Each structure stands twice: as structure tokens, then as C-alpha cells.
Amino acid sequence: MPFEIGVMTFGELTEDPVTGSLPSPRQRVRETIEQAQVADQAGLDVFGVGEHHRTDFVGSAPAILLAAAAEKTERIKLTSSVTVLSSEDPVRVWEQFATIDLLSAGRAEIIAGRGSYTESFPLFGYDLKDYADLFREKLDLLLQIRDRNPLTWSGSFRAPLVEADIAPRADGGTIPIWVGVGGSAASAISTGQLGLPMALALLLGPLTFHEQTVQLYRAAAAKAGHDTYALPISINAHGFVGRTSQGARDTMYPYFARGMMDNNHQRGVGLRLPRAAFDAQSSPGAGLLAGSPQELIDKLLTYHELYGITRAIIQMGFGGMPQKQHLEAIELLAAEVAPVVRREVAQSERSMT
């Protein structure tokens, strides 16, 4: 399958570490749609919006942002990154994304996740002690909604469905549903058993962080009778590309460090990231996709060699990077990184057949 490269955003509202200004929610929403539009025009493959339910993010309703993006784009795939399925109603998730699929002529996707940020659980009346069971049940329901209509179904966390007519249906009859996995062995195994695409999340750490995750996923998929090498795997990681290695890191660092402090899992109790630690995380053996075009090419090809990934989604501009620099990086990624990676991966796969 062709290698895909895309970008994603959480739509975070972060005080600019250089100017001290704070973007308004309206500004950040409009910038998110412009990012999708530029990514599409530049030739990237995927645009994603994450879900968070706090005042320091504008992405509490990714489906609405993606629907707006559908009207401003023509080719790019539009995905949640992720949908916190454990605290969502799968019926409503399907209805929303099927509508996006109709608006976009078949470009909608869902990355379903348990949620590493957990503010949505009490907000919507769920108990964190049911964290794993909620996800299992709701993923089962979402998959059944995708595969059949009308639907009869029952579970523990919502009212049963009896010959329920769930509409609209997707433009092409189906919507790709990926599962976001952050490194949990149980998550990797269950995703493999279901034969679903796996979206690996890597915040910080070594480039090899997910080796066991992928091994467990493929072993579980094979045991369940799935063609393991036909199953897509993506890497979702923070990054930034600039003309030079030093320039890219100098641009990314102050914003990324502020975002890690201000927009992390607990506000005001974020992760302090000294510059030396950031530079180490940007080195060839670490996970951040930050550097020159050639450095990103090399690291993406290494990810492909290690994990057999078929897609990379880069979280650009985290921490409120100014829009001008953010859009320039999107265009540079599309112009100088994506074509080379696609070509090299295609050549590598042809040589193996």
C-alpha cells in the first residue's frame, strides 16, 4: 500500500513564549482549518484533529472541525486523532463521521482511542474504573454499526439497540477505523485480534520504543487468522521540519517546551523539558521527527524499516507555534520529505516482491 504522510493538531491554546500573546479560540479554530487546506493543497495525505475537553484546547468537537475542513479541501483524508471512544456514544460517532464522509466524498476516518487525557470521563458521567471495559464495549458497537444496518445489540454501558436504523451510511459503504495505541501490550493484542489498523502514539522516548508493541500486534493478528502484513500501522509523533537541522530545532523548542508545560495532562503540572533533553529526543535514535528534510526522511525510513509502518502523522506546531511558521513547515514536509519517503518505500517494497 502507498506510504502516507500527514499532519495533526490538538488545537491547543498556549501563551507564545516569545511574544507573551495568547490566541483566541476563534483564531485557533480558523487556523486549524487553514492548516488542513494548506496540507491538502501541498499534497499531504492525511489531516487529523485530536479531542480534548478543556479550555486550553479548541478540539472538543473534532467532527465539527473536520466537517469544516471537508468543505475547504479536495483530496486529503480527514481523521480524528483520536476520538476518545470510551466517553463517546458510538452511534453518535458513526453519524458524525458518516456525515463528514458524505461531505468529503469518502475521505473520513476514525482513530478510536481510550484517551490519555481523562477529563472527558467525569464530564460525561463515566467512571475511570471502567476505563478498559468502556472502550472494549464501545469499539465493538462502533464496528458493528459500520458493518451492518439495521442493528440489534446490547451491552453494559448504554441502552440496547433493537433493529436500530443508524444513518447516514458512509459514502463508500464503510469508514476506516484505526485504534490508537500508546504502548499497552493489552491494547496491541486486542487490536491485532480484531484485525484493525494500529496508530502508534509516541510522545518522547527511543525510536525503538514500540518494537514489542508491533510484535505483539502482529502475533495476535496472525493467531486470529489475519494477514499481518496487509494491516496498516502508523506512527503518530511530534515534529517539525525546517531548512536546516539547527533552525528546525531552534524554532520548535520554545513552543514545544511551553506546550509540554502548559497543555500536558495536568495543567500547571506539566513536563519541564530542558533544551539538552529536547535535542537528545531529536537525535537519530530518538522518536521526535524534528530537523531538516533529510533528517526527517532518514528517520521516517527507519520507522518503516523497524515497524513496517505505512503512514506517519506528525503533530506539527504543538505549543502554539505561529501560523506562518507552521504553514511553511507543512509545505516543506509536502515538497521535500513526502515525495522522497513515498518513493524510497515503494522501491524497497518492490525489491522484496
Side-chain angles (χ1 to χ4, degrees):
M1 59 190 74
F3 194 91
E4 296 179 323
I5 296 182
V7 291
M8 59 172 280
T9 181
F10 284 170
E12 64 279 356
L13 296 166
T14 315
E15 182 180 288
D16 190 305
V18 178
T19 67
S21 64
L22 182 69
S24 68
R26 180 193 296 176
Q27 175 186 339
R28 183 60 81 222
V29 163
R30 299 312 309 168
E31 287 176 345
T32 298
I33 305 308
E34 186 181 23
Q35 290 160 20
Q37 189 173 19
V38 170
D40 180 57
Q41 292 169 348
L44 292 179
D45 302 296
V46 191
F47 182 78
V49 178
E51 177 185 343
H52 294 87
H53 296 268
R54 296 191 333 208
T55 52
D56 55 328
F57 296 95
V58 297
S60 62
I64 293 178
L65 292 172
L66 292 171
E71 289 297 285
K72 292 288 187 178
T73 57
E74 297 179 357
R75 189 192 61 85
I76 199 166
K77 295 176 181 178
L78 302 167
T79 185
S80 57
S81 58
V82 301
T83 294
V84 185
L85 189 60
S86 303
S87 58
E88 291 271 18
D89 178 355
V91 174
R92 198 69 181 128
V93 169
W94 173 265
E95 291 174 340
Q96 291 167 345
F97 278 84
T99 302
I100 296 168
D101 205 54
L102 297 175
L103 286 169
S104 65
R107 293 184 280 129
E109 296 192 1
I110 299 167
I111 302 177
R114 291 158 179 78
S116 58
Y117 289 65
T118 56
E119 68 275 357
S120 63
F121 286 78
L123 185 65
F124 295 115
Y126 292 103
D127 194 324
L128 278 170
K129 72 178 177 59
D130 298 320
Y131 184 83
D133 291 335
L134 280 164
F135 184 77
R136 274 194 296 270
E137 178 175 301
K138 293 190 175 194
L139 180 60
D140 172 69
L141 176 53
L142 182 62
L143 294 173
Q144 291 203 44
I145 293 169
R146 182 183 68 170
D147 294 342
R148 63 182 60 88
N149 190 59
L151 175 64
T152 296
W153 178 93
S154 63
S156 302
F157 297 103
R158 63 150 292 150
L161 301 172
V162 180
E163 288 297 296
D165 181 13
I166 299 171
R169 306 311 294 173
D171 185 66
T174 191
I175 292 175
I177 297 174
W178 297 61
V179 175
V181 175
S184 159
S187 297
I189 291 168
S190 62
T191 304
Q193 289 170 338
L194 291 168
L196 294 174
M198 180 170 66
L200 295 170
L202 181 57
L203 177 56
L204 297 170
L207 195 144
T208 56
F209 179 83
H210 279 302
E211 280 188 306
Q212 184 182 36
T213 310
V214 173
Q215 290 168 3
L216 290 170
Y217 168 72
R218 288 210 169 105
K223 188 174 181 180
H226 303 292
D227 181 353
T228 57
Y229 289 94
L231 292 177
I233 300 176
S234 76
I235 189 73
N236 295 20
H238 287 281
F240 184 76
V241 61
R243 289 291 174 188
T244 67
S245 171
Q246 191 66 41
R249 294 171 190 177
D250 287 348
T251 300
M252 179 179 174
Y253 172 70
Y255 298 100
F256 185 69
R258 177 59 64 88
M260 293 299 290
M261 193 64 208
D262 291 359
N263 305 110
N264 213 302
H265 293 73
Q266 293 182 339
R267 283 179 289 187
V269 195
L271 173 67
R272 294 191 181 277
L273 187 68
R275 178 60 191 259
F278 170 81
D279 287 338
Q281 290 295 325
S282 304
S283 66
L288 283 182
L289 289 158
S292 66
Q294 189 59 54
E295 285 177 308
L296 262 69
I297 290 166
D298 292 342
K299 190 168 284 190
L300 287 170
L301 292 175
T302 301
Y303 269 124
H304 175 71
E305 184 178 346
L306 275 173
Y307 302 141
I309 63 169
T310 57
R311 172 185 284 186
I313 302 179
I314 303 174
Q315 188 168 356
M316 289 274 208
F318 181 69
M321 182 177 289
Q323 183 78 340
K324 181 177 182 295
Q325 292 157 294
H326 195 155
L327 297 182
E328 287 173 351
I330 289 173
E331 290 174 332
L332 187 59
L333 179 70
E336 297 194 16
V337 177
V340 178
V341 174
R342 292 181 191 125
R343 183 179 69 243
E344 292 295 321
V345 169
Q347 290 175 349
S348 172
E349 293 180 348
R350 281 197 297 269
S351 69
M352 295 173 62
T353 57

